[in-house]
Structure formats: C-alpha cells, structure tokens
Amino acid sequence: MSEIIIALLMIVNNEIAEHRIQPSMGECLKGKRHAERQYQPNVQYSCIKSEAELETNIDGSISIKKLILK
C-alpha cells in the first residue's frame, strides 16, 4: 500500500538511519526540536512529506517499508 505521509527522519553520516510516521507536520517539527536538544555529532533530523510504501505490523500498527523520494 502506498500513501503520502509525513515522516521524521534521523540522518546519520548522510544516510537515513531511522524514519517514523508523524500525524502532522506540526507534530513532526515538535519531535525534531525535542530530538535536536540532545546534541549528537553527525546526526541530523528532518521532516518530510513524501510518498511511502507502508506495511501493517503484527500488532496492527503501520510502519514505513520504503520511502519513495522524488
């Protein structure tokens, strides 16, 4: 299943290390500010609106299988 989502990305050494679906851009930016307060070198956070391939987990939650960056 493919949808347009808002995601918070954790970028380590210029590679996406982790991504989380966010309910809105406001919530994403709030999470980004919170994460940036715990300074770590070579780690960046970014909020994006993108198409993504999603999957349903065993517990019923939805996670990102693959980001489709254009």
Side-chain angles (χ1 to χ4, degrees):
M1 135 172 89
S2 182
E3 287 186 31
I4 300 292
I5 53 114
I6 296 171
L8 175 58
L9 307 179
M10 181 174 77
I11 303 166
V12 179
N13 295 325
N14 297 321
E15 292 187 21
I16 298 172
E18 190 173 327
H19 40 69
R20 302 281 177 164
I21 297 173
Q22 300 295 308
S24 67
M25 187 59 80
E27 287 293 318
C28 186
L29 293 171
K30 182 178 174 183
K32 178 183 177 215
R33 283 191 301 272
H34 180 75
E36 287 176 337
R37 288 187 186 124
Q38 296 152 16
Y39 174 77
Q40 298 173 349
N42 300 321
V43 178
Q44 296 176 310
Y45 296 92
S46 180
C47 292
I48 64 165
K49 183 175 183 179
S50 177
E51 187 174 354
E53 200 171 299
L54 305 176
E55 65 183 351
T56 304
N57 298 321
I58 294 172
D59 64 358
S61 64
I62 297 174
S63 64
I64 300 170
K65 182 175 183 180
K66 178 172 72 172
L67 285 171
I68 302 170
L69 303 173
K70 295 181 182 178

PDB file of all heavy atoms in Angstrom, residues 20-49:
ATOM      1  N   ARG A  20      10.098   7.665  11.096  1.00  0.00           N
ATOM      2  CA  ARG A  20       8.854   7.452  11.845  1.00  0.00           C
ATOM      3  C   ARG A  20       7.721   8.251  11.215  1.00  0.00           C
ATOM      4  O   ARG A  20       7.884   9.419  10.879  1.00  0.00           O
ATOM      5  CB  ARG A  20       9.005   7.932  13.291  1.00  0.00           C
ATOM      6  CG  ARG A  20      10.102   7.281  14.079  1.00  0.00           C
ATOM      7  CD  ARG A  20       9.664   5.934  14.550  1.00  0.00           C
ATOM      8  NE  ARG A  20      10.763   5.292  15.253  1.00  0.00           N
ATOM      9  CZ  ARG A  20      10.616   4.261  16.021  1.00  0.00           C
ATOM     10  NH1 ARG A  20       9.427   3.739  16.186  1.00  0.00           N
ATOM     11  NH2 ARG A  20      11.637   3.715  16.611  1.00  0.00           N
ATOM     12  N   ILE A  21       6.573   7.642  11.086  1.00  0.00           N
ATOM     13  CA  ILE A  21       5.379   8.331  10.587  1.00  0.00           C
ATOM     14  C   ILE A  21       4.891   9.292  11.670  1.00  0.00           C
ATOM     15  O   ILE A  21       4.840   8.936  12.845  1.00  0.00           O
ATOM     16  CB  ILE A  21       4.267   7.324  10.235  1.00  0.00           C
ATOM     17  CG1 ILE A  21       4.723   6.399   9.110  1.00  0.00           C
ATOM     18  CG2 ILE A  21       2.985   8.060   9.846  1.00  0.00           C
ATOM     19  CD1 ILE A  21       3.754   5.277   8.816  1.00  0.00           C
ATOM     20  N   GLN A  22       4.519  10.497  11.240  1.00  0.00           N
ATOM     21  CA  GLN A  22       4.007  11.512  12.154  1.00  0.00           C
ATOM     22  C   GLN A  22       2.592  11.897  11.727  1.00  0.00           C
ATOM     23  O   GLN A  22       2.279  11.889  10.529  1.00  0.00           O
ATOM     24  CB  GLN A  22       4.912  12.751  12.127  1.00  0.00           C
ATOM     25  CG  GLN A  22       6.338  12.476  12.540  1.00  0.00           C
ATOM     26  CD  GLN A  22       6.463  12.050  13.982  1.00  0.00           C
ATOM     27  OE1 GLN A  22       5.963  12.719  14.884  1.00  0.00           O
ATOM     28  NE2 GLN A  22       7.103  10.916  14.203  1.00  0.00           N
ATOM     29  N   PRO A  23       1.731  12.261  12.676  1.00  0.00           N
ATOM     30  CA  PRO A  23       0.342  12.600  12.318  1.00  0.00           C
ATOM     31  C   PRO A  23       0.195  13.922  11.568  1.00  0.00           C
ATOM     32  O   PRO A  23      -0.738  14.093  10.792  1.00  0.00           O
ATOM     33  CB  PRO A  23      -0.377  12.649  13.665  1.00  0.00           C
ATOM     34  CG  PRO A  23       0.695  12.814  14.680  1.00  0.00           C
ATOM     35  CD  PRO A  23       1.947  12.240  14.117  1.00  0.00           C
ATOM     36  N   SER A  24       1.115  14.885  11.801  1.00  0.00           N
ATOM     37  CA  SER A  24       1.037  16.181  11.129  1.00  0.00           C
ATOM     38  C   SER A  24       2.428  16.792  11.064  1.00  0.00           C
ATOM     39  O   SER A  24       3.343  16.358  11.765  1.00  0.00           O
ATOM     40  CB  SER A  24       0.105  17.129  11.891  1.00  0.00           C
ATOM     41  OG  SER A  24       0.675  17.465  13.145  1.00  0.00           O
ATOM     42  N   MET A  25       2.584  17.820  10.240  1.00  0.00           N
ATOM     43  CA  MET A  25       3.880  18.487  10.134  1.00  0.00           C
ATOM     44  C   MET A  25       4.223  19.179  11.451  1.00  0.00           C
ATOM     45  O   MET A  25       5.382  19.206  11.862  1.00  0.00           O
ATOM     46  CB  MET A  25       3.868  19.495   8.979  1.00  0.00           C
ATOM     47  CG  MET A  25       5.217  20.107   8.692  1.00  0.00           C
ATOM     48  SD  MET A  25       6.531  18.937   8.274  1.00  0.00           S
ATOM     49  CE  MET A  25       6.172  18.623   6.563  1.00  0.00           C
ATOM     50  N   GLY A  26       3.228  19.712  12.136  1.00  0.00           N
ATOM     51  CA  GLY A  26       3.458  20.353  13.434  1.00  0.00           C
ATOM     52  C   GLY A  26       4.022  19.382  14.458  1.00  0.00           C
ATOM     53  O   GLY A  26       4.961  19.697  15.190  1.00  0.00           O
ATOM     54  N   GLU A  27       3.434  18.193  14.523  1.00  0.00           N
ATOM     55  CA  GLU A  27       3.927  17.169  15.450  1.00  0.00           C
ATOM     56  C   GLU A  27       5.337  16.721  15.061  1.00  0.00           C
ATOM     57  O   GLU A  27       6.174  16.449  15.917  1.00  0.00           O
ATOM     58  CB  GLU A  27       2.990  15.963  15.474  1.00  0.00           C
ATOM     59  CG  GLU A  27       1.691  16.213  16.198  1.00  0.00           C
ATOM     60  CD  GLU A  27       1.880  16.434  17.689  1.00  0.00           C
ATOM     61  OE1 GLU A  27       2.680  15.709  18.324  1.00  0.00           O
ATOM     62  OE2 GLU A  27       1.237  17.361  18.216  1.00  0.00           O
ATOM     63  N   CYS A  28       5.607  16.657  13.769  1.00  0.00           N
ATOM     64  CA  CYS A  28       6.928  16.267  13.292  1.00  0.00           C
ATOM     65  C   CYS A  28       7.973  17.297  13.725  1.00  0.00           C
ATOM     66  O   CYS A  28       9.035  16.943  14.233  1.00  0.00           O
ATOM     67  CB  CYS A  28       6.916  16.122  11.775  1.00  0.00           C
ATOM     68  SG  CYS A  28       8.455  15.472  11.117  1.00  0.00           S
ATOM     69  N   LEU A  29       7.671  18.572  13.516  1.00  0.00           N
ATOM     70  CA  LEU A  29       8.615  19.625  13.895  1.00  0.00           C
ATOM     71  C   LEU A  29       8.837  19.663  15.406  1.00  0.00           C
ATOM     72  O   LEU A  29       9.946  19.926  15.870  1.00  0.00           O
ATOM     73  CB  LEU A  29       8.126  20.973  13.373  1.00  0.00           C
ATOM     74  CG  LEU A  29       8.142  21.110  11.848  1.00  0.00           C
ATOM     75  CD1 LEU A  29       7.428  22.383  11.426  1.00  0.00           C
ATOM     76  CD2 LEU A  29       9.551  21.057  11.305  1.00  0.00           C
ATOM     77  N   LYS A  30       7.788  19.377  16.165  1.00  0.00           N
ATOM     78  CA  LYS A  30       7.912  19.310  17.621  1.00  0.00           C
ATOM     79  C   LYS A  30       8.868  18.178  18.021  1.00  0.00           C
ATOM     80  O   LYS A  30       9.743  18.351  18.862  1.00  0.00           O
ATOM     81  CB  LYS A  30       6.525  19.078  18.235  1.00  0.00           C
ATOM     82  CG  LYS A  30       6.494  19.037  19.728  1.00  0.00           C
ATOM     83  CD  LYS A  30       5.057  18.839  20.208  1.00  0.00           C
ATOM     84  CE  LYS A  30       4.986  18.642  21.689  1.00  0.00           C
ATOM     85  NZ  LYS A  30       3.614  18.381  22.138  1.00  0.00           N
ATOM     86  N   GLY A  31       8.716  17.022  17.387  1.00  0.00           N
ATOM     87  CA  GLY A  31       9.606  15.893  17.652  1.00  0.00           C
ATOM     88  C   GLY A  31      11.035  16.186  17.223  1.00  0.00           C
ATOM     89  O   GLY A  31      11.994  15.792  17.892  1.00  0.00           O
ATOM     90  N   LYS A  32      11.191  16.900  16.116  1.00  0.00           N
ATOM     91  CA  LYS A  32      12.518  17.271  15.627  1.00  0.00           C
ATOM     92  C   LYS A  32      13.212  18.188  16.628  1.00  0.00           C
ATOM     93  O   LYS A  32      14.385  17.979  16.963  1.00  0.00           O
ATOM     94  CB  LYS A  32      12.388  17.967  14.275  1.00  0.00           C
ATOM     95  CG  LYS A  32      13.699  18.441  13.702  1.00  0.00           C
ATOM     96  CD  LYS A  32      13.489  19.182  12.398  1.00  0.00           C
ATOM     97  CE  LYS A  32      14.836  19.698  11.916  1.00  0.00           C
ATOM     98  NZ  LYS A  32      14.756  20.942  11.255  1.00  0.00           N
ATOM     99  N   ARG A  33      12.508  19.201  17.131  1.00  0.00           N
ATOM    100  CA  ARG A  33      13.089  20.117  18.118  1.00  0.00           C
ATOM    101  C   ARG A  33      13.501  19.365  19.378  1.00  0.00           C
ATOM    102  O   ARG A  33      14.572  19.582  19.928  1.00  0.00           O
ATOM    103  CB  ARG A  33      12.105  21.232  18.470  1.00  0.00           C
ATOM    104  CG  ARG A  33      12.000  22.298  17.431  1.00  0.00           C
ATOM    105  CD  ARG A  33      11.212  23.506  17.935  1.00  0.00           C
ATOM    106  NE  ARG A  33       9.862  23.170  18.352  1.00  0.00           N
ATOM    107  CZ  ARG A  33       8.803  23.147  17.565  1.00  0.00           C
ATOM    108  NH1 ARG A  33       8.927  23.436  16.281  1.00  0.00           N
ATOM    109  NH2 ARG A  33       7.617  22.853  18.029  1.00  0.00           N
ATOM    110  N   HIS A  34      12.645  18.461  19.821  1.00  0.00           N
ATOM    111  CA  HIS A  34      12.934  17.670  21.016  1.00  0.00           C
ATOM    112  C   HIS A  34      14.189  16.811  20.810  1.00  0.00           C
ATOM    113  O   HIS A  34      15.062  16.747  21.675  1.00  0.00           O
ATOM    114  CB  HIS A  34      11.739  16.785  21.370  1.00  0.00           C
ATOM    115  CG  HIS A  34      11.946  15.942  22.568  1.00  0.00           C
ATOM    116  ND1 HIS A  34      11.920  16.454  23.848  1.00  0.00           N
ATOM    117  CD2 HIS A  34      12.197  14.627  22.693  1.00  0.00           C
ATOM    118  CE1 HIS A  34      12.160  15.474  24.710  1.00  0.00           C
ATOM    119  NE2 HIS A  34      12.324  14.350  24.028  1.00  0.00           N
ATOM    120  N   ALA A  35      14.304  16.165  19.663  1.00  0.00           N
ATOM    121  CA  ALA A  35      15.456  15.304  19.376  1.00  0.00           C
ATOM    122  C   ALA A  35      16.739  16.113  19.244  1.00  0.00           C
ATOM    123  O   ALA A  35      17.806  15.668  19.687  1.00  0.00           O
ATOM    124  CB  ALA A  35      15.204  14.509  18.096  1.00  0.00           C
ATOM    125  N   GLU A  36      16.653  17.305  18.655  1.00  0.00           N
ATOM    126  CA  GLU A  36      17.848  18.123  18.463  1.00  0.00           C
ATOM    127  C   GLU A  36      18.402  18.677  19.766  1.00  0.00           C
ATOM    128  O   GLU A  36      19.564  19.057  19.830  1.00  0.00           O
ATOM    129  CB  GLU A  36      17.562  19.267  17.487  1.00  0.00           C
ATOM    130  CG  GLU A  36      17.443  18.788  16.057  1.00  0.00           C
ATOM    131  CD  GLU A  36      17.065  19.880  15.082  1.00  0.00           C
ATOM    132  OE1 GLU A  36      16.473  20.903  15.512  1.00  0.00           O
ATOM    133  OE2 GLU A  36      17.352  19.715  13.890  1.00  0.00           O
ATOM    134  N   ARG A  37      17.608  18.717  20.806  1.00  0.00           N
ATOM    135  CA  ARG A  37      18.092  19.192  22.113  1.00  0.00           C
ATOM    136  C   ARG A  37      19.140  18.252  22.696  1.00  0.00           C
ATOM    137  O   ARG A  37      19.959  18.659  23.498  1.00  0.00           O
ATOM    138  CB  ARG A  37      16.933  19.355  23.085  1.00  0.00           C
ATOM    139  CG  ARG A  37      16.063  20.524  22.749  1.00  0.00           C
ATOM    140  CD  ARG A  37      15.030  20.782  23.813  1.00  0.00           C
ATOM    141  NE  ARG A  37      14.139  21.826  23.360  1.00  0.00           N
ATOM    142  CZ  ARG A  37      12.829  21.709  23.268  1.00  0.00           C
ATOM    143  NH1 ARG A  37      12.236  20.587  23.617  1.00  0.00           N
ATOM    144  NH2 ARG A  37      12.095  22.699  22.846  1.00  0.00           N
ATOM    145  N   GLN A  38      19.090  16.992  22.300  1.00  0.00           N
ATOM    146  CA  GLN A  38      20.077  16.014  22.756  1.00  0.00           C
ATOM    147  C   GLN A  38      21.151  15.937  21.676  1.00  0.00           C
ATOM    148  O   GLN A  38      21.183  15.006  20.879  1.00  0.00           O
ATOM    149  CB  GLN A  38      19.409  14.670  22.992  1.00  0.00           C
ATOM    150  CG  GLN A  38      18.399  14.740  24.098  1.00  0.00           C
ATOM    151  CD  GLN A  38      17.296  13.725  23.933  1.00  0.00           C
ATOM    152  OE1 GLN A  38      17.414  12.792  23.178  1.00  0.00           O
ATOM    153  NE2 GLN A  38      16.219  13.936  24.648  1.00  0.00           N
ATOM    154  N   TYR A  39      22.017  16.940  21.653  1.00  0.00           N
ATOM    155  CA  TYR A  39      23.012  17.088  20.595  1.00  0.00           C
ATOM    156  C   TYR A  39      23.886  15.850  20.452  1.00  0.00           C
ATOM    157  O   TYR A  39      24.427  15.343  21.425  1.00  0.00           O
ATOM    158  CB  TYR A  39      23.893  18.308  20.857  1.00  0.00           C
ATOM    159  CG  TYR A  39      25.024  18.433  19.866  1.00  0.00           C
ATOM    160  CD1 TYR A  39      24.775  18.903  18.585  1.00  0.00           C
ATOM    161  CD2 TYR A  39      26.312  18.053  20.195  1.00  0.00           C
ATOM    162  CE1 TYR A  39      25.787  19.003  17.656  1.00  0.00           C
ATOM    163  CE2 TYR A  39      27.342  18.156  19.279  1.00  0.00           C
ATOM    164  CZ  TYR A  39      27.069  18.634  18.013  1.00  0.00           C
ATOM    165  OH  TYR A  39      28.080  18.726  17.100  1.00  0.00           O
ATOM    166  N   GLN A  40      23.997  15.389  19.228  1.00  0.00           N
ATOM    167  CA  GLN A  40      24.892  14.288  18.887  1.00  0.00           C
ATOM    168  C   GLN A  40      25.579  14.664  17.581  1.00  0.00           C
ATOM    169  O   GLN A  40      24.914  15.012  16.607  1.00  0.00           O
ATOM    170  CB  GLN A  40      24.115  12.984  18.695  1.00  0.00           C
ATOM    171  CG  GLN A  40      23.400  12.524  19.935  1.00  0.00           C
ATOM    172  CD  GLN A  40      22.500  11.328  19.644  1.00  0.00           C
ATOM    173  OE1 GLN A  40      22.267  10.979  18.501  1.00  0.00           O
ATOM    174  NE2 GLN A  40      22.013  10.715  20.684  1.00  0.00           N
ATOM    175  N   PRO A  41      26.917  14.609  17.538  1.00  0.00           N
ATOM    176  CA  PRO A  41      27.599  14.962  16.287  1.00  0.00           C
ATOM    177  C   PRO A  41      27.251  13.974  15.167  1.00  0.00           C
ATOM    178  O   PRO A  41      26.977  12.804  15.422  1.00  0.00           O
ATOM    179  CB  PRO A  41      29.082  14.880  16.646  1.00  0.00           C
ATOM    180  CG  PRO A  41      29.151  14.116  17.914  1.00  0.00           C
ATOM    181  CD  PRO A  41      27.825  14.233  18.589  1.00  0.00           C
ATOM    182  N   ASN A  42      27.232  14.452  13.950  1.00  0.00           N
ATOM    183  CA  ASN A  42      26.936  13.659  12.748  1.00  0.00           C
ATOM    184  C   ASN A  42      25.502  13.149  12.685  1.00  0.00           C
ATOM    185  O   ASN A  42      25.208  12.260  11.904  1.00  0.00           O
ATOM    186  CB  ASN A  42      27.903  12.477  12.595  1.00  0.00           C
ATOM    187  CG  ASN A  42      29.336  12.933  12.474  1.00  0.00           C
ATOM    188  OD1 ASN A  42      29.613  13.933  11.826  1.00  0.00           O
ATOM    189  ND2 ASN A  42      30.238  12.217  13.100  1.00  0.00           N
ATOM    190  N   VAL A  43      24.599  13.684  13.514  1.00  0.00           N
ATOM    191  CA  VAL A  43      23.190  13.281  13.487  1.00  0.00           C
ATOM    192  C   VAL A  43      22.344  14.505  13.140  1.00  0.00           C
ATOM    193  O   VAL A  43      22.474  15.553  13.755  1.00  0.00           O
ATOM    194  CB  VAL A  43      22.732  12.687  14.832  1.00  0.00           C
ATOM    195  CG1 VAL A  43      21.254  12.337  14.785  1.00  0.00           C
ATOM    196  CG2 VAL A  43      23.553  11.466  15.191  1.00  0.00           C
ATOM    197  N   GLN A  44      21.486  14.367  12.130  1.00  0.00           N
ATOM    198  CA  GLN A  44      20.569  15.421  11.739  1.00  0.00           C
ATOM    199  C   GLN A  44      19.157  14.861  11.751  1.00  0.00           C
ATOM    200  O   GLN A  44      18.953  13.656  11.558  1.00  0.00           O
ATOM    201  CB  GLN A  44      20.873  15.913  10.324  1.00  0.00           C
ATOM    202  CG  GLN A  44      22.215  16.557  10.154  1.00  0.00           C
ATOM    203  CD  GLN A  44      22.446  16.908   8.697  1.00  0.00           C
ATOM    204  OE1 GLN A  44      22.272  16.077   7.822  1.00  0.00           O
ATOM    205  NE2 GLN A  44      22.836  18.151   8.452  1.00  0.00           N
ATOM    206  N   TYR A  45      18.182  15.742  11.934  1.00  0.00           N
ATOM    207  CA  TYR A  45      16.780  15.353  11.897  1.00  0.00           C
ATOM    208  C   TYR A  45      16.089  16.196  10.843  1.00  0.00           C
ATOM    209  O   TYR A  45      16.410  17.365  10.663  1.00  0.00           O
ATOM    210  CB  TYR A  45      16.134  15.558  13.265  1.00  0.00           C
ATOM    211  CG  TYR A  45      16.745  14.681  14.321  1.00  0.00           C
ATOM    212  CD1 TYR A  45      17.798  15.123  15.099  1.00  0.00           C
ATOM    213  CD2 TYR A  45      16.281  13.384  14.515  1.00  0.00           C
ATOM    214  CE1 TYR A  45      18.377  14.312  16.056  1.00  0.00           C
ATOM    215  CE2 TYR A  45      16.859  12.560  15.466  1.00  0.00           C
ATOM    216  CZ  TYR A  45      17.898  13.028  16.233  1.00  0.00           C
ATOM    217  OH  TYR A  45      18.473  12.206  17.174  1.00  0.00           O
ATOM    218  N   SER A  46      15.135  15.596  10.143  1.00  0.00           N
ATOM    219  CA  SER A  46      14.432  16.298   9.084  1.00  0.00           C
ATOM    220  C   SER A  46      12.995  15.803   9.000  1.00  0.00           C
ATOM    221  O   SER A  46      12.736  14.610   9.172  1.00  0.00           O
ATOM    222  CB  SER A  46      15.149  16.051   7.762  1.00  0.00           C
ATOM    223  OG  SER A  46      14.503  16.722   6.723  1.00  0.00           O
ATOM    224  N   CYS A  47      12.070  16.718   8.720  1.00  0.00           N
ATOM    225  CA  CYS A  47      10.671  16.360   8.490  1.00  0.00           C
ATOM    226  C   CYS A  47      10.404  16.460   6.992  1.00  0.00           C
ATOM    227  O   CYS A  47      10.771  17.454   6.363  1.00  0.00           O
ATOM    228  CB  CYS A  47       9.750  17.312   9.231  1.00  0.00           C
ATOM    229  SG  CYS A  47       9.827  17.151  11.025  1.00  0.00           S
ATOM    230  N   ILE A  48       9.788  15.436   6.439  1.00  0.00           N
ATOM    231  CA  ILE A  48       9.472  15.457   5.014  1.00  0.00           C
ATOM    232  C   ILE A  48       8.038  14.986   4.779  1.00  0.00           C
ATOM    233  O   ILE A  48       7.485  14.229   5.579  1.00  0.00           O
ATOM    234  CB  ILE A  48      10.428  14.575   4.182  1.00  0.00           C
ATOM    235  CG1 ILE A  48      10.291  13.102   4.555  1.00  0.00           C
ATOM    236  CG2 ILE A  48      11.860  15.041   4.296  1.00  0.00           C
ATOM    237  CD1 ILE A  48      10.920  12.163   3.544  1.00  0.00           C
ATOM    238  N   LYS A  49       7.486  15.467   3.688  1.00  0.00           N
ATOM    239  CA  LYS A  49       6.195  14.968   3.199  1.00  0.00           C
ATOM    240  C   LYS A  49       6.523  14.216   1.928  1.00  0.00           C
ATOM    241  O   LYS A  49       7.069  14.791   0.985  1.00  0.00           O
ATOM    242  CB  LYS A  49       5.246  16.123   2.924  1.00  0.00           C
ATOM    243  CG  LYS A  49       3.872  15.692   2.497  1.00  0.00           C
ATOM    244  CD  LYS A  49       2.956  16.889   2.358  1.00  0.00           C
ATOM    245  CE  LYS A  49       1.565  16.452   1.993  1.00  0.00           C
ATOM    246  NZ  LYS A  49       0.669  17.619   1.877  1.00  0.00           N
TER     247      LYS A  49
END
